[in-house]
Amino acid sequence: MLMVVIVEETRLVNIGAKPVEDYVFETILIFQEGSSTVVLKGSGAFISKAVDVYNALVSRLGDSVELVKVDIGSDRFKGRFKSFIAITVRKKY
């Protein structure tokens, strides 16, 4: 018996100091390379920018992208906790 397992690749985009449009463009390129799921992750001061990137992506791609889930939490970084948001989006085909 032959068993086929399909593994969906998820790529991470860390949101930082670059302009919002750079991250939107990077996400679109990832979708064009064949990945169907992307996580937009913003930490600390870049949490609101991650939300801005998601909104700009939806504005640009419309119904061809869907929100899968939103995770919020904190990571330990240099002995302190740093809040984050992770927005998972999927490309519809």
Side-chain angles (χ1 to χ4, degrees):
M1 179 161 79
L2 179 65
M3 181 188 285
V4 177
V5 178
I6 299 174
V7 178
E8 189 174 299
E9 181 183 357
T10 300
R11 301 271 303 269
L12 175 67
V13 175
N14 280 311
I15 308 300
K18 291 190 276 185
V20 169
E21 283 302 315
D22 287 2
Y23 296 109
V24 171
F25 183 66
E26 181 178 348
T27 304
I28 291 171
L29 284 178
I30 290 170
F31 285 147
Q32 288 178 346
E33 290 171 355
S35 295
S36 60
T37 307
V38 175
V39 177
L40 306 170
K41 185 173 182 182
S43 297
F46 299 114
I47 290 174
S48 62
K49 187 179 268 190
V51 174
D52 292 342
V53 170
Y54 168 75
N55 287 329
L57 189 64
V58 169
S59 166
R60 170 90 55 96
L61 298 180
D63 290 335
S64 66
V65 67
E66 70 177 335
L67 177 65
V68 176
K69 68 179 179 175
V70 177
D71 294 319
I72 56 173
S74 57
D75 290 329
R76 196 168 188 90
F77 182 72
K78 295 184 179 180
R80 301 186 71 173
F81 287 103
K82 193 170 190 180
S83 300
F84 73 86
I85 188 168
I87 304 168
T88 305
V89 293
R90 180 180 303 133
K91 174 88 167 145
K92 294 183 193 176
Y93 292 101

